[in-house]
Amino acid sequence: MPLNPPNCGASIMGPSSLNLHYHGTNTSPTCHSDEVIKTIINSGQTFQYDVAFPADEPPGLYWYHPHVHGQLEQALQGGVAGSIVVDGIENVQPAVSGLRQRILIVRDQEVPGKPAPAATFRPGTSP
């Protein structure tokens, strides 16, 4: 897609527009990387990200998510998010060396009709 300065991508936002933000990382806030203010990608259009993580990116668990304001929640609930693992945490915290890695993503999602829970449960109590 040709650029339309000062925009990166489309110049008009639609109901299915999105972009991606690499949350917590030290990636460049430039077009085709981690620029979220002027980057708009619309349904049916092609856009290529070229994101470079610095060689000294701190190890840990990060996440990516859409960042088009006003449409963020719908995109997140639709599944446009995920985890990014930067290896090397054992070099910072040797106590975790040799542990098996597990990633669990928990999302809060509205249930149509907002049904009441079957029972009340509080942490530290039995259901």
CSV table of all heavy atoms in Angstrom, one decimal, residues 82-111:
chain,number,residue,atom,x,y,z
A,82,GLY,N,-1.7,-10.9,21.3
A,82,GLY,CA,-1.0,-12.1,21.6
A,82,GLY,C,0.3,-11.8,22.4
A,82,GLY,O,0.6,-10.7,22.7
A,83,SER,N,1.0,-12.9,22.7
A,83,SER,CA,2.2,-12.7,23.6
A,83,SER,C,3.5,-12.7,22.7
A,83,SER,O,3.5,-13.3,21.6
A,83,SER,CB,2.2,-13.9,24.6
A,83,SER,OG,2.3,-15.1,23.9
A,84,ILE,N,4.5,-12.1,23.3
A,84,ILE,CA,5.8,-12.0,22.7
A,84,ILE,C,6.8,-12.4,23.8
A,84,ILE,O,6.8,-11.8,24.8
A,84,ILE,CB,6.2,-10.6,22.2
A,84,ILE,CG1,5.2,-10.2,21.1
A,84,ILE,CG2,7.6,-10.6,21.6
A,84,ILE,CD1,5.3,-8.7,20.8
A,85,VAL,N,7.5,-13.5,23.6
A,85,VAL,CA,8.5,-13.9,24.6
A,85,VAL,C,9.9,-13.5,24.1
A,85,VAL,O,10.3,-13.9,23.0
A,85,VAL,CB,8.5,-15.5,24.8
A,85,VAL,CG1,9.5,-15.9,25.7
A,85,VAL,CG2,7.1,-15.9,25.2
A,86,VAL,N,10.6,-12.8,24.9
A,86,VAL,CA,12.0,-12.4,24.6
A,86,VAL,C,12.8,-13.3,25.6
A,86,VAL,O,12.8,-13.2,26.8
A,86,VAL,CB,12.3,-10.9,24.9
A,86,VAL,CG1,13.8,-10.7,24.7
A,86,VAL,CG2,11.5,-10.1,23.9
A,87,ASP,N,13.5,-14.3,25.0
A,87,ASP,CA,14.3,-15.3,25.7
A,87,ASP,C,15.4,-14.6,26.5
A,87,ASP,O,15.9,-13.6,26.2
A,87,ASP,CB,14.8,-16.4,24.8
A,87,ASP,CG,13.7,-17.3,24.3
A,87,ASP,OD1,12.7,-17.5,24.9
A,87,ASP,OD2,13.9,-17.8,23.1
A,88,GLY,N,15.8,-15.4,27.6
A,88,GLY,CA,17.0,-15.0,28.3
A,88,GLY,C,16.7,-14.6,29.8
A,88,GLY,O,17.6,-14.1,30.5
A,89,ILE,N,15.5,-14.8,30.3
A,89,ILE,CA,15.2,-14.4,31.6
A,89,ILE,C,16.1,-15.1,32.7
A,89,ILE,O,16.4,-14.6,33.7
A,89,ILE,CB,13.7,-14.7,32.0
A,89,ILE,CG1,13.3,-13.9,33.3
A,89,ILE,CG2,13.3,-16.1,32.0
A,89,ILE,CD1,13.3,-12.5,33.2
A,90,GLU,N,16.5,-16.4,32.3
A,90,GLU,CA,17.4,-17.1,33.2
A,90,GLU,C,18.8,-16.4,33.4
A,90,GLU,O,19.5,-16.6,34.4
A,90,GLU,CB,17.6,-18.5,32.8
A,90,GLU,CG,18.4,-18.7,31.5
A,90,GLU,CD,17.5,-18.4,30.2
A,90,GLU,OE1,16.3,-18.3,30.3
A,90,GLU,OE2,18.1,-18.4,29.1
A,91,ASN,N,19.2,-15.5,32.5
A,91,ASN,CA,20.4,-14.8,32.6
A,91,ASN,C,20.2,-13.6,33.6
A,91,ASN,O,21.2,-13.2,34.2
A,91,ASN,CB,20.8,-14.2,31.3
A,91,ASN,CG,21.1,-15.3,30.3
A,91,ASN,OD1,21.6,-16.4,30.6
A,91,ASN,ND2,20.8,-15.0,29.0
A,92,VAL,N,19.0,-13.2,33.8
A,92,VAL,CA,18.7,-12.1,34.8
A,92,VAL,C,18.3,-12.7,36.1
A,92,VAL,O,18.7,-12.1,37.1
A,92,VAL,CB,17.6,-11.2,34.2
A,92,VAL,CG1,17.2,-10.1,35.2
A,92,VAL,CG2,18.0,-10.6,32.9
A,93,GLN,N,17.6,-13.8,36.1
A,93,GLN,CA,17.1,-14.4,37.3
A,93,GLN,C,17.5,-15.9,37.2
A,93,GLN,O,16.7,-16.8,36.8
A,93,GLN,CB,15.6,-14.3,37.4
A,93,GLN,CG,15.0,-14.8,38.7
A,93,GLN,CD,15.6,-14.2,39.9
A,93,GLN,OE1,16.5,-14.9,40.5
A,93,GLN,NE2,15.2,-13.0,40.3
A,94,PRO,N,18.7,-16.3,37.6
A,94,PRO,CA,19.2,-17.7,37.5
A,94,PRO,C,18.3,-18.7,38.2
A,94,PRO,O,18.2,-19.9,37.8
A,94,PRO,CB,20.6,-17.7,38.2
A,94,PRO,CG,21.0,-16.2,38.1
A,94,PRO,CD,19.7,-15.4,38.2
A,95,ALA,N,17.5,-18.3,39.2
A,95,ALA,CA,16.6,-19.2,39.9
A,95,ALA,C,15.6,-19.9,39.0
A,95,ALA,O,15.1,-21.0,39.3
A,95,ALA,CB,15.9,-18.5,41.1
A,96,VAL,N,15.3,-19.3,37.9
A,96,VAL,CA,14.2,-19.9,37.0
A,96,VAL,C,14.9,-20.8,35.9
A,96,VAL,O,14.2,-21.4,35.1
A,96,VAL,CB,13.4,-18.8,36.3
A,96,VAL,CG1,12.7,-17.9,37.4
A,96,VAL,CG2,14.2,-17.9,35.4
A,97,SER,N,16.2,-20.8,35.9
A,97,SER,CA,16.9,-21.7,34.9
A,97,SER,C,16.4,-23.1,35.0
A,97,SER,O,16.3,-23.7,36.1
A,97,SER,CB,18.4,-21.6,35.1
A,97,SER,OG,19.1,-22.3,34.1
A,98,GLY,N,16.0,-23.7,33.9
A,98,GLY,CA,15.6,-25.1,33.8
A,98,GLY,C,14.1,-25.3,34.0
A,98,GLY,O,13.6,-26.4,33.9
A,99,LEU,N,13.4,-24.2,34.4
A,99,LEU,CA,12.0,-24.4,34.6
A,99,LEU,C,11.3,-24.4,33.2
A,99,LEU,O,11.7,-23.8,32.3
A,99,LEU,CB,11.4,-23.2,35.4
A,99,LEU,CG,11.8,-23.1,36.8
A,99,LEU,CD1,11.1,-21.8,37.5
A,99,LEU,CD2,11.4,-24.3,37.6
A,100,ARG,N,10.2,-25.2,33.1
A,100,ARG,CA,9.5,-25.3,31.9
A,100,ARG,C,8.7,-24.0,31.7
A,100,ARG,O,8.1,-23.5,32.7
A,100,ARG,CB,8.5,-26.5,32.0
A,100,ARG,CG,7.9,-26.8,30.7
A,100,ARG,CD,7.1,-28.1,30.7
A,100,ARG,NE,7.0,-28.8,32.0
A,100,ARG,CZ,6.4,-29.8,32.2
A,100,ARG,NH1,5.7,-30.4,31.2
A,100,ARG,NH2,6.3,-30.4,33.3
A,101,GLN,N,8.6,-23.5,30.5
A,101,GLN,CA,7.9,-22.3,30.2
A,101,GLN,C,6.5,-22.6,29.9
A,101,GLN,O,6.2,-23.5,29.1
A,101,GLN,CB,8.6,-21.6,29.0
A,101,GLN,CG,7.9,-20.3,28.6
A,101,GLN,CD,8.7,-19.6,27.5
A,101,GLN,OE1,9.7,-19.0,27.8
A,101,GLN,NE2,8.2,-19.8,26.3
A,102,ARG,N,5.6,-21.8,30.5
A,102,ARG,CA,4.1,-22.0,30.2
A,102,ARG,C,3.6,-20.5,30.0
A,102,ARG,O,3.9,-19.6,30.8
A,102,ARG,CB,3.4,-22.6,31.4
A,102,ARG,CG,3.8,-24.0,31.7
A,102,ARG,CD,3.1,-24.9,30.8
A,102,ARG,NE,3.3,-26.3,31.3
A,102,ARG,CZ,3.5,-27.3,30.5
A,102,ARG,NH1,3.6,-27.2,29.2
A,102,ARG,NH2,3.7,-28.5,31.0
A,103,ILE,N,2.8,-20.4,29.0
A,103,ILE,CA,2.2,-19.1,28.8
A,103,ILE,C,0.7,-19.2,28.8
A,103,ILE,O,0.1,-20.1,28.2
A,103,ILE,CB,2.6,-18.5,27.4
A,103,ILE,CG1,4.1,-18.3,27.4
A,103,ILE,CG2,1.9,-17.2,27.1
A,103,ILE,CD1,4.6,-17.9,26.0
A,104,LEU,N,0.0,-18.4,29.7
A,104,LEU,CA,-1.4,-18.5,29.8
A,104,LEU,C,-1.9,-17.1,29.5
A,104,LEU,O,-1.5,-16.1,30.2
A,104,LEU,CB,-1.8,-18.9,31.2
A,104,LEU,CG,-3.3,-18.9,31.6
A,104,LEU,CD1,-4.0,-19.9,30.7
A,104,LEU,CD2,-3.4,-19.1,33.1
A,105,ILE,N,-2.8,-17.0,28.6
A,105,ILE,CA,-3.4,-15.7,28.3
A,105,ILE,C,-4.9,-15.7,28.7
A,105,ILE,O,-5.6,-16.6,28.3
A,105,ILE,CB,-3.3,-15.4,26.8
A,105,ILE,CG1,-1.9,-15.3,26.3
A,105,ILE,CG2,-4.1,-14.1,26.4
A,105,ILE,CD1,-1.7,-15.2,24.8
A,106,VAL,N,-5.2,-14.8,29.6
A,106,VAL,CA,-6.6,-14.8,30.2
A,106,VAL,C,-7.2,-13.5,29.6
A,106,VAL,O,-6.6,-12.4,29.8
A,106,VAL,CB,-6.6,-14.8,31.7
A,106,VAL,CG1,-8.0,-14.7,32.2
A,106,VAL,CG2,-5.9,-16.0,32.2
A,107,ARG,N,-8.4,-13.6,29.0
A,107,ARG,CA,-9.1,-12.4,28.5
A,107,ARG,C,-10.4,-12.3,29.2
A,107,ARG,O,-11.1,-13.3,29.5
A,107,ARG,CB,-9.3,-12.6,27.0
A,107,ARG,CG,-8.1,-12.6,26.2
A,107,ARG,CD,-8.3,-12.7,24.7
A,107,ARG,NE,-9.6,-13.1,24.4
A,107,ARG,CZ,-10.1,-13.0,23.1
A,107,ARG,NH1,-9.4,-12.5,22.2
A,107,ARG,NH2,-11.3,-13.5,22.8
A,108,ASP,N,-10.8,-11.1,29.5
A,108,ASP,CA,-12.1,-10.8,30.0
A,108,ASP,C,-13.0,-10.5,28.9
A,108,ASP,O,-12.7,-9.6,28.0
A,108,ASP,CB,-12.0,-9.6,31.0
A,108,ASP,CG,-13.4,-9.2,31.6
A,108,ASP,OD1,-14.3,-10.0,31.5
A,108,ASP,OD2,-13.5,-8.1,32.1
A,109,GLN,N,-14.1,-11.1,28.7
A,109,GLN,CA,-15.0,-10.9,27.6
A,109,GLN,C,-16.5,-10.9,28.0
A,109,GLN,O,-16.9,-11.7,28.8
A,109,GLN,CB,-14.8,-12.1,26.6
A,109,GLN,CG,-15.6,-11.8,25.3
A,109,GLN,CD,-15.0,-12.7,24.2
A,109,GLN,OE1,-13.9,-13.2,24.3
A,109,GLN,NE2,-15.7,-12.8,23.1
A,110,GLU,N,-17.2,-9.9,27.5
A,110,GLU,CA,-18.6,-9.7,27.8
A,110,GLU,C,-19.3,-10.9,27.2
A,110,GLU,O,-19.1,-11.3,26.1
A,110,GLU,CB,-19.1,-8.4,27.3
A,110,GLU,CG,-18.5,-7.2,27.8
A,110,GLU,CD,-19.3,-6.5,28.9
A,110,GLU,OE1,-20.5,-6.8,28.9
A,110,GLU,OE2,-18.8,-5.7,29.6
A,111,VAL,N,-20.3,-11.4,28.0
A,111,VAL,CA,-21.2,-12.5,27.5
A,111,VAL,C,-22.5,-11.9,27.1
A,111,VAL,O,-23.1,-11.1,27.9
A,111,VAL,CB,-21.4,-13.6,28.6
A,111,VAL,CG1,-22.3,-14.6,28.1
A,111,VAL,CG2,-20.0,-14.2,29.0
